[in-house]
Amino acid sequence: MGKTKSITTFEQHLKNQYGELGTESRDQFEAKAKSFIIGEMLKEERLHAKLTQEELANKIGAKKSYISRIENGKTDIQLSTLYRIFELGLGKRITVSVN
Amino acid sequence: MGKTKSITTFEQHLKNQYGELGTESRDQFEAKAKSFIIGEMLKEERLHAKLTQEELANKIGAKKSYISRIENGKTDIQLSTLYRIFELGLGKRITVSVN
DNA sequence: CATGATGTACCACAATTAGTTAACTTTGAA
DNA sequence: TTCAAAGTTAACTAATTGTGGTACATCATG
């Protein structure tokens, strides 16, 4: 069974990192929250696979600094990147579903 | 219950659209296949909501041509774009899970 | 503490998406 | 068939990811 994380779990954490909602819209805030969640999932899976950021980066032809940025939710990644990292890099299967 | 589509479903369709696997790598091929699947999901949900591409575009502050490109899998979108379209535009919830 | 391994931040640039406009094509209904 | 609405495509610009490289920070452990 796959793991799914709720956005609410990280809301407080994000407020600490980015400050209270104010200047930015709710949408932008949620986008950051979701990048953060993806990052958390990646870190979890990477550690589970016992790989360092550098090893994972090598597997997909990227640099460790890039993996770090994604894990910390600092960048909005493309779908193809999501697949490349999880499937090519970690041998996991990504599923996107609409509810 | 959310809908999930398999990549294999569209493999033949993609071969028709892009030709046989050859010059491009399997990875690139799968990336296209997945963009296509996302597009199919979007079209399905949009029609279910009884919206035209233009109406959906207006809801998220975009143009109909952009929606069309996504529905036809012609562009590799960012995660934030995926969320914006489905959640803001269609009121649906996107879930990304790792198996 | 000292050292090496791991992870993060910063800066710069190339490649690609995001977004617009406008023309063209398809579809469906009168 | 005609016409308008809906959808597709191309061309182009602007914004941002993707990427490399380097320096810095953190962590674990002898």
Side-chain angles (χ1 to χ4, degrees):
Chain A
M1 200 77 81
K3 289 174 197 161
T4 305
K5 294 195 175 187
S6 163
I7 184 174
T8 54
T9 311
F10 297 97
E11 197 139 337
Q12 192 54 51
H13 187 127
L14 277 159
K15 282 180 180 167
N16 295 338
Q17 194 172 12
Y18 296 112
E20 281 297 320
L21 274 154
T23 53
E24 65 189 340
S25 71
R26 180 77 202 169
D27 281 353
Q28 289 174 308
F29 185 82
E30 294 216 349
K32 282 179 184 168
K34 279 160 177 167
S35 288
F36 191 79
I37 293 167
I38 296 290
E40 286 277 318
M41 288 167 64
L42 173 56
K43 185 168 193 171
E44 204 172 298
E45 294 293 340
R46 177 178 62 78
L47 293 177
H48 189 71
K50 298 198 193 313
L51 291 173
T52 65
Q53 289 183 341
E54 191 162 27
E55 288 167 338
L56 173 57
N58 288 339
K59 282 192 150 196
I60 63 165
K63 297 299 167 193
K64 62 177 183 172
S65 58
Y66 184 47
I67 301 295
S68 172
R69 259 169 44 195
I70 295 171
E71 286 191 0
N72 290 295
K74 307 249 180 197
T75 188
D76 183 16
I77 64 174
Q78 290 166 15
L79 270 177
S80 62
T81 302
L82 185 70
Y83 294 133
R84 208 169 90 243
I85 292 178
F86 280 94
E87 302 194 355
L88 182 60
L90 295 172
K92 294 286 179 176
R93 192 148 193 83
I94 286 286
T95 304
V96 176
S97 52
V98 185
N99 307 293
Chain B
M1 203 78 80
K3 287 173 197 163
T4 305
K5 292 197 175 184
S6 163
I7 184 173
T8 53
T9 310
F10 297 99
E11 198 138 336
Q12 192 53 52
H13 187 126
L14 277 159
K15 282 180 180 167
N16 295 338
Q17 194 171 13
Y18 296 111
E20 279 298 320
L21 274 154
T23 53
E24 66 190 340
S25 71
R26 180 78 201 166
D27 281 352
Q28 290 175 308
F29 185 81
E30 295 215 351
K32 282 179 185 169
K34 280 160 177 167
S35 288
F36 191 79
I37 293 167
I38 295 292
E40 287 277 318
M41 288 167 65
L42 173 56
K43 185 168 192 171
E44 204 172 299
E45 294 293 341
R46 177 177 62 79
L47 293 176
H48 190 71
K50 298 195 192 314
L51 291 173
T52 66
Q53 290 183 339
E54 191 161 28
E55 288 166 337
L56 173 57
N58 289 339
K59 281 191 150 196
I60 62 166
K63 301 294 173 201
K64 62 177 184 174
S65 59
Y66 186 48
I67 301 295
S68 172
R69 264 174 26 201
I70 295 170
E71 285 191 0
N72 289 294
K74 307 250 180 198
T75 187
D76 182 16
I77 63 174
Q78 291 169 10
L79 273 177
S80 62
T81 302
L82 184 72
Y83 293 133
R84 209 170 90 242
I85 294 178
F86 279 95
E87 302 194 354
L88 183 60
L90 295 172
K92 292 288 178 175
R93 192 149 191 83
I94 287 285
T95 305
V96 176
S97 52
V98 185
N99 307 293

